[in-house]
Amino acid sequence: MDRNLRPTLNRSDSWRTWIRAAGLGLAVAGAGIALGTVTPAPALAQVSGSSMSVPLAPDAPSQYVVKKGDTLWDIAGVFLRDPWYWPEIWYVNPDIANPHLIYPGDVLNLVYVDGKPRITVGSAGATRLSPQVRSSPLTDAVRSIPYDLLMTFVGRPSLLDKDTFRNQPYVIGFRHDHMIGAEHGEVYGLGLGTPAEGARYNFVHVGDELIDPDDGDLLGYIGHYSGTGRVIQTTSANRKEPITHLQVLEMGREIMQGDKIFAAEVDIGDDFVPSAPAKTDIDGRIVAVVDGVYAAGRFQVLAINRGKRHGLVPGNALAVFGRGEVVTDRPGAGPWRRASSTYATVQLPKERNGTLLLFRVYDRMSYGLVVESIHAIREGDYLKHPAFGHRDTGLSDFAR
């Protein structure tokens, strides 16, 4: 541009113009945020820090319709780069009964309040204004992890904590002097109280011990499904504690004296939301993989050696790190070089293998579901805070 064509302003006029422009911009932005209509620039919405409370997913939608089969973890991943930040963006509507629950057909909207992302909920085609609008049963609500999987694990537990082993009802004997229970056979249980006739129970055989790799203490036991039985009757038999008579309906393996008895239909309790542990110095290990397999992937259950005393609660997410292999340091080695015992060895770094979401937490151990699997997860893998080694936290070094 030709300098002779530029508009000229004296110093005082220039400052007044800029102040007016800045004031007008701030007024417009403030009004938009107050109404929840102004969205920060896309680049800003993806950055965590003082400007945003949580990091959004790069392709986070402005709206999402909840579908049957969705889990809360998956929904959180639609909006968030890290799903465990969900409690920080969920907007609790006080006008809705059970405001923490989400149902298929609900419309989730990503809005901004005071410059921070929030998720609000409404019904498809209409706004949910009062508790009366919701008529779906609570069992239809979206859970953090698959409901059927959780029901199976609780009813036929493959991992037993120490207290469960000690206090759970068990098989005391068999009819007709049998040594083991078989299909269509009859068994007697102790500790069931007075269950209703026809109630169903699962038998679980107690297997190998679960040992804490840190101190060698006993944490619990592996459980193996033995079978399912139906209550015939309950009698006192001159005892203070009734004996329950059950008929075996289904076999998984032979039923043995001492096998633990669990209700086949159980109340799995209130749901939880994905979250990060309150403490950042979590340092645990995986002590078992469900079903005794060597490696675990997504939607498999693991037992870990950390629990309530370490600040964990149901819904906490933990990062899983696999131990690096030990390799031989052979500088300049090629296929023509001979193997030598004089080469040094190098421990490769521990790398992140996946994410675990806890659903049962006891004093010293917990059960969790693998919700993300980058590589195979194995017994002995390490557990850290989900932000460990994260781009936003600066956490990077293992304590051991």
Side-chain angles (χ1 to χ4, degrees), residues 192-204:
L192 290 168
T194 55
E197 181 179 339
R200 297 195 174 207
Y201 288 86
N202 292 323
F203 307 107
V204 175

Side-chain angles (χ1 to χ4, degrees), residues 81-94:
R81 189 175 60 183
D82 301 311
W84 56 84
Y85 282 113
W86 180 258
E88 298 188 35
I89 71 167
W90 178 248
Y91 177 75
V92 177
N93 188 337

Side-chain angles (χ1 to χ4, degrees), residues 75-396:
I75 292 173
V78 170
F79 292 99
L80 295 169
R81 189 175 60 183
D82 301 311
W84 56 84
Y85 282 113
W86 180 258
E88 298 188 35
I89 71 167
W90 178 248
Y91 177 75
V92 177
N93 188 337
D95 295 328
I96 301 174
N98 298 306
H100 293 281
L101 299 183
I102 301 173
Y103 295 83
D106 281 347
V107 178
L108 305 183
N109 300 290
L110 176 62
V111 300
Y112 291 83
V113 179
D114 296 330
K116 297 178 180 180
R118 295 289 183 265
I119 300 296
T120 63
V121 62
S123 297
T127 302
R128 190 168 64 183
L129 299 176
S130 67
Q132 286 73 25
V133 176
R134 168 61 61 209
S135 59
S136 301
L138 296 181
T139 53
D140 291 343
V142 170
R143 297 188 68 93
S144 293
I145 60 177
Y147 180 83
D148 291 343
L149 186 149
L150 187 56
M151 283 288 293
T152 299
F153 179 80
V154 175
R156 300 182 179 182
S158 301
L159 303 167
L160 307 173
D161 69 284
K162 190 166 54 176
D163 291 337
T164 298
F165 169 80
R166 184 183 301 113
N167 302 320
Q168 196 68 23
Y170 58 95
V171 174
I172 189 65
F174 308 92
R175 193 177 184 187
H176 302 310
D177 296 327
H178 289 175
M179 299 299 295
I180 61 173
E183 194 164 357
H184 306 304
E186 298 174 16
V187 303
Y188 296 100
L190 198 62
L192 290 168
T194 55
E197 181 179 339
R200 297 195 174 207
Y201 288 86
N202 292 323
F203 307 107
V204 175
H205 182 70
V206 179
D208 294 339
E209 297 178 338
L210 299 176
I211 302 297
D212 191 330
D214 290 343
D215 54 22
D217 285 354
L218 175 66
L219 298 176
Y221 300 85
I222 300 292
H224 304 281
Y225 171 70
S226 299
T228 299
R230 176 180 60 84
V231 173
I232 299 174
Q233 64 177 352
T234 299
T235 58
S236 297
N238 298 322
R239 291 174 51 93
K240 292 182 179 179
E241 188 172 7
I243 295 178
T244 302
H245 188 182
L246 304 99
Q247 181 180 20
V248 179
L249 303 176
E250 176 185 301
M251 291 285 295
R253 50 170 291 163
E254 66 275 8
I255 300 171
M256 304 181 69
Q257 186 177 30
D259 282 0
K260 300 299 181 179
I261 304 176
F262 294 83
E265 297 180 1
V266 294
D267 179 7
I268 59 178
D270 295 334
D271 197 18
F272 47 82
V273 296
S275 61
K279 297 182 179 179
T280 60
D281 59 347
I282 298 297
D283 184 24
R285 300 281 292 278
I286 294 172
V287 297
V289 180
V290 73
D291 295 332
V293 296
Y294 176 68
R298 191 167 188 243
F299 290 157
Q300 282 190 274
V301 176
L302 309 176
I304 70 171
N305 66 338
R306 292 294 182 265
K308 292 178 182 178
R309 70 167 61 181
H310 307 98
L312 298 177
V313 297
N316 279 170
L318 294 174
V320 182
F321 287 82
R323 70 185 87 185
E325 295 181 6
V326 176
V327 298
T328 302
D329 182 8
R330 299 178 182 177
W336 60 88
R337 297 287 297 273
R338 292 182 179 180
S340 172
S341 60
T342 61
Y343 289 128
T345 59
V346 176
Q347 174 77 56
L348 297 182
K350 299 177 179 68
E351 300 287 352
R352 186 158 182 167
N353 285 345
T355 305
L356 186 70
L357 193 65
L358 303 183
F359 62 86
R360 282 285 188 274
V361 178
Y362 300 93
D363 182 46
R364 288 192 53 180
M365 69 177 294
S366 302
Y367 305 144
L369 183 73
V370 178
V371 289
E372 294 175 345
S373 178
I374 304 169
H375 298 287
I377 296 173
R378 296 177 172 85
E379 181 180 329
D381 279 358
Y382 297 85
L383 297 162
K384 291 289 186 180
H385 189 280
F388 179 85
H390 199 276
R391 49 198 167 263
D392 298 328
T393 63
L395 297 174
S396 59

